[in-house]
Amino acid sequence: MSDDVTEDRHAAVPADRAPADRAPADGTPAGRPPVHAFRDDALGAHDAVALAALVRTGEVSAGELARAAVERIRLVDPELHAVAVPAYDTYRTDDTAAGPLAGVPTLLKDNTDYGGLPTGHGSAAFTPRAAPRHAPFTRQFLSTGMTFLGKTRLPEFGFNASTEYENDEPVRNPWHPSYSPGGSSGGSAALVAAGAVPVAHANDGGGSIRIPAACCGLVGLKPTRGRVVANEMGRRLPIDMVSDGVVSRSVRDTAAFLAAAERHWRNPRMPPLGLVEGPGSRRLRIGLVAESPTGSPTDAATRAAVAAVATALEAQGHTVEPYALPLDGRFEQDFVSYWGLLAFLAGAGGRFMYDRRFDAGRMDGLSKGLRSTYLRRMHTTPAVLRRLRRAADEAYDAALTRYDVLLSPVLAHTTPRLGHLSPNVPYEELLNRLRAYVAFTPINNINGSPAISLPAPAAEPAAAGGVPVGAMLSAAHGDERTLLELAFALEADRPWRRIQDV
């Protein structure tokens, strides 16, 4: 890359475009220390792959791991508020389980059915009842042999990019509890980052794996549409945007999960992935998308973090050059319309999908605002769906004709404090804040392509409020292998910051 491109990456964002409640200059939000549970117990600082190996060799039992995880969850959750439905008294362990991740404690996001437990979707609009059976993805998730300990919190129906509520405690970021953990898989990300469990379920309909991974310093891969069992809600939608996966603290845990899930079910229309175990040998052409296709400016701390990733990739022999995704200005507006359609369907169909006493009047301010936005534009729905599909496919195909991989930020600016994206913020203001924040992730959901969020090295962590910043790599359909190989190389080159060392 030329020097002038490097300079452009570090360009500052005007002060009037930055969120008013961003970190103070010294990066110490209210002086609150990180919240974590790392200690000298059966879990230690191991990742899921290491723990599964210890169970296989008999050095530790699945029961010991589960008990340690429950103790850790109970230690941190009073401050993080990340657990929706605990299952500490009913979990089952099996030291003879054959799954590749057998014995590893984990949790499931509370928008996915686990038989016998309620699924609340983060909403106060209904009282959830026990699910009659596991969702198909739950069966795939549990086929890995992991020990289920409960369900994690999400914002209402996963619509928000921060796990906050109108009348309840928000989920807090363990790196700095005054900050957002992202959303919608914020509960899972908070517990994994805090060391309560090494890996947890997440799903992504607009960035909901990658956003909390970026906010909490984790690995978060949104698989290709169809790589894992179809999400029950997503497959009913006009455009299936939802992919299930995990958030983890190591690349090999995410790779191991996908390989294990593939043993349960593999899409015959997709090339097999198998177990990716380290960096690849290919030298790749990488397009750097520093500015969002929606026009939202990228702030200086995020630019610097992603620039450091670009520099690391160049040092590994890859070619990196600036690129602008050819999306027209209607993509963002159309995505908001589709987002509104989802809120409309949740409200109008709540009595049939969730509970006959579903009360749409109790949905939060964001959900109600999105519904109103959709109702004003309802007549444009067929055109919106056509444009979304065409724009995402054409822009992405054009990019992947020139490049093997795209590198971009996950989010347009660093993680905000809690309250910035609260559903109590007036709707139009909240929507504008979300548009200025969630600017890079939605195209992969519409297009169905895979993308991974990785912790980006921050030269000045205080510039980001001390919370992590994420960089995103995106690839062609079915090419999770390339993303994981690059992720392995980046992790080896510059290991992520550890919360227990802060």
Side-chain angles (χ1 to χ4, degrees):
M1 284 176 300
S2 64
D3 290 339
D4 59 329
V5 172
T6 304
E7 283 297 318
D8 180 63
R9 289 186 195 145
H10 291 76
V13 175
D16 63 348
R17 301 300 296 273
D21 49 3
R22 195 74 59 77
D26 64 1
T28 55
R32 302 183 73 171
V35 176
H36 71 81
F38 287 101
R39 54 181 53 205
D40 185 16
D41 58 11
L43 292 170
H46 297 303
D47 67 0
V49 170
L51 291 172
L54 292 174
V55 172
R56 283 195 298 272
T57 60
E59 295 178 57
V60 68
S61 71
E64 288 176 288
L65 296 184
R67 287 189 293 274
V70 169
E71 289 180 8
R72 288 187 178 199
I73 294 169
R74 285 176 166 155
L75 177 67
V76 299
D77 200 54
E79 185 153 12
L80 298 181
H81 307 288
V83 176
V85 183
Y88 311 147
D89 299 324
T90 59
Y91 70 80
R92 298 177 181 178
T93 60
D94 182 359
D95 289 325
T96 65
L101 296 176
V104 174
T106 192
L107 299 105
L108 190 73
K109 185 176 175 181
D110 191 31
N111 62 357
T112 304
D113 285 348
Y114 184 96
L117 293 180
T119 303
H121 294 272
S123 178
F126 70 105
T127 300
R129 293 173 293 180
R133 64 187 67 84
H134 291 344
F137 177 78
T138 301
R139 293 195 293 272
Q140 185 174 30
F141 185 72
L142 297 176
S143 75
T144 64
M146 291 190 285
T147 302
F148 169 79
L149 297 180
K151 303 184 79 175
T152 61
R153 294 175 82 204
L154 69 153
E156 184 167 69
F157 299 114
F159 293 149
N160 205 341
S162 184
T163 309
E164 301 183 51
Y165 310 90
E166 283 187 339
N167 299 301
D168 204 353
E169 283 283 345
V171 178
R172 297 181 178 275
N173 191 319
W175 289 84
H176 276 308
S178 296
Y179 282 66
S180 169
S184 64
S185 307
S188 290
L191 291 169
V192 173
V197 291
V199 64
H201 170 229
N203 48 32
D204 192 316
S208 293
I209 292 175
R210 293 160 288 164
I211 292 168
C215 295
C216 294
L218 302 175
V219 177
L221 189 152
K222 184 203 87 66
T224 303
R225 182 188 297 138
R227 171 62 72 186
V228 300
V229 172
N231 182 279
E232 282 197 297
M233 184 64 67
R235 68 183 179 182
R236 301 180 191 139
L237 300 175
I239 300 175
D240 181 1
M241 301 194 303
V242 185
S243 294
D244 285 277
V246 296
V247 285
S248 67
R249 294 193 301 269
S250 70
V251 176
R252 70 176 186 171
D253 277 2
T254 290
F257 169 77
L258 287 173
E262 191 174 64
R263 291 172 57 170
H264 174 81
W265 177 83
R266 184 179 77 79
N267 188 338
R269 293 172 295 179
M270 193 171 293
L273 176 61
L275 179 61
V276 182
E277 299 184 88
S281 57
R282 285 193 304 151
R283 294 297 168 255
L284 305 172
R285 292 192 65 199
I286 299 173
L288 172 63
V289 183
E291 293 297 342
S292 79
T294 67
S296 297
T298 305
D299 73 2
T302 301
R303 280 177 170 272
V306 175
V309 174
T311 299
L313 289 168
E314 286 183 313
Q316 293 170 7
H318 306 293
T319 300
V320 182
E321 59 185 46
Y323 182 71
L325 275 171
L327 277 177
D328 65 39
R330 287 185 301 184
F331 180 82
E332 181 187 33
Q333 182 176 338
D334 287 342
F335 186 83
V336 171
S337 293
Y338 189 66
W339 196 8
L341 169 61
L342 305 186
F344 170 77
L345 292 174
R351 288 181 297 168
F352 307 102
M353 291 188 290
Y354 307 115
D355 185 85
R356 62 185 177 82
R357 290 165 293 185
F358 185 95
D359 182 359
R362 295 178 61 194
M363 295 173 74
D364 72 21
L366 176 59
S367 297
K368 290 177 182 175
L370 288 169
R371 285 176 60 200
S372 296
T373 296
Y374 174 71
L375 288 171
R376 291 195 301 270
R377 305 174 184 171
M378 181 185 289
H379 64 284
T380 68
T381 299
V384 164
L385 295 176
R386 284 195 303 272
R387 286 197 302 266
L388 277 175
R389 292 188 185 102
R390 184 176 65 247
D393 290 348
E394 289 178 354
Y396 209 77
D397 290 348
L400 271 298
T401 298
R402 296 182 58 173
Y403 301 105
D404 302 297
V405 170
L406 297 179
L407 166 66
S408 73
V410 176
L411 295 154
H413 64 71
T414 56
T415 307
R417 286 176 177 266
L418 290 166
H420 182 72
L421 299 176
S422 166
N424 289 308
V425 173
Y427 170 69
E428 292 295 340
E429 183 177 357
L430 176 56
L431 182 62
N432 287 334
R433 290 180 179 187
L434 286 166
R435 287 167 127 168
Y437 186 49
V438 185
F440 291 91
T441 54
I443 188 171
N444 301 103
N445 297 91
I446 299 296
N447 177 264
S449 50
I452 189 170
S453 172
L454 301 171
E460 295 292 340
V467 293
V469 176
M472 185 166 71
L473 297 167
S474 305
H477 287 75
D479 195 15
E480 287 90 346
R481 173 170 291 275
T482 294
L483 296 181
L484 289 167
E485 287 175 345
L486 282 174
F488 270 114
L490 288 168
E491 183 182 36
D493 184 63
R494 198 176 298 192
W496 333 129
R497 281 196 301 156
R498 305 194 319 163
I499 195 170
Q500 60 267 46
D501 295 335
V502 174

